[in-house]
Amino acid sequence: ASIQGARRLNSGQCDIAINWAGGLHHAHKAEAAGFCYVNDIVLAILELLKYHQRVLYIDIDVHHGDGVEEAFYTTNRVMTVSFHRYGDFFPGTGDIKDMGEGEGKGYAVNVPLLNGLDDDSFVEIYKNIMEAVRQRFRPEAVVLQCGADSLAYDKLGTYNTTLRGHGACVKIVKEWGLPLMILGGGGYTIKNVARCWTYETGICLDTELDNELPLNDYYELLGKDHKLHFEAKPDIKNENTREYLEFIQAKCLANLNSLEHAPSVGITDFIVNDFYSHEDIEKH
Ligand code: CO
C-alpha cells in the first residue's frame, strides 16, 4: 500500500496518500526488528525518488526511525529527521551526533527527547526544526511517519502529548502543499491510536471532527468517555527543560546551517533566498 501510495503521488493522482498500516520504521534490509518485518517506508521512498530529486522523511514515533535512517545514511537525496525518546530506550540509536556519512553527511537529523514531553514543547521544537529543514533541504516530496506511541498513556511510550500536539506536526507539514505520504507506525494503547489517526485523517481532509464519538461497532473499546480528545496526564514531570530543548534545537539548527545548499538546487536561487537581499546580488 505504501508503494502504491508513492506511485499515486508520483503520477499526481493524489496530493496526500495515507497508509495507517504502514510506517514500519525499524525493519532493516535483511533483518526484522521492533515489530517491523518489511520496511515499507524505505520501499515507498525509493519509489518517490524515481520522480523527485529530494525526499524528506519525518518520524514522530516515540522510537528512533533507525531502519529508514540506515537505508539513506550516505545519500543527500533523502533527509531523515527523527524526533524520539533517547537514552536507555529502544532501539538505542538516534544520538544528536549521528548526522549521516559521506554524501549524506548532514542529511540525517536526530532530535533526542526525554520523558514527559508535552504538547507545547513538542510543537515548538518541531516547528522550528522543520522550518529550517524546509528552507535548507527544499524537499520535493515528504513522508511523515505518525507513530502514535508518542502520545500520553501509551503502554510503551513515555511522553505526555495529546492529539492536538501530535496532530499539529501533521498540519505543519500539510501546509507546505508538497506531495505528502502519511504513514502509521507504533502505538500500543489501541483506543488512543484509533483516536489519533482518525483525528489526523480529519486534518488531511481539512475537516474538524466532532469531539463526540459517533456510535460504531467498536464503541465499547474506545473507553468510557466516548470523546475524540483526551487530556495530558496532570501529574507528569516534563524532563525536557527549556534549557535542554534550547540546546538541542540550537545544535540541530547549527548542523542544518552548515549544509552548503540543497543538492541539485541552483546556487543563484539559493543565495537570493537565503543569504543576500536582491540589492546585494545586483551590486555583484
Ligand atoms: Co514506536
Side-chain angles (χ1 to χ4, degrees), residues 25 61 63 149 186:
H25 60 169
D61 191 285
H63 302 100
D149 46 11

Side-chain angles (χ1 to χ4, degrees), residues 7 148 166 200 270:
R7 287 188 181 148
H166 202 274
E200 289 170 357
F270 175 75

Side-chain angles (χ1 to χ4, degrees), residues 54 169 207 235-236:
R54 290 174 307 283
C169 297
T207 302
D235 48 352
I236 293 290

Side-chain angles (χ1 to χ4, degrees), residues 25-26 34-35 59 61-64 89-90 145 147-150 154 156 185-188:
H25 60 169
H26 295 308
F35 315 140
D59 188 317
D61 191 285
V62 74
H63 302 100
H64 177 228
F89 197 74
F90 184 86
Q145 197 268 22
D149 46 11
S150 46
D154 187 80
L156 297 185
Y188 306 97

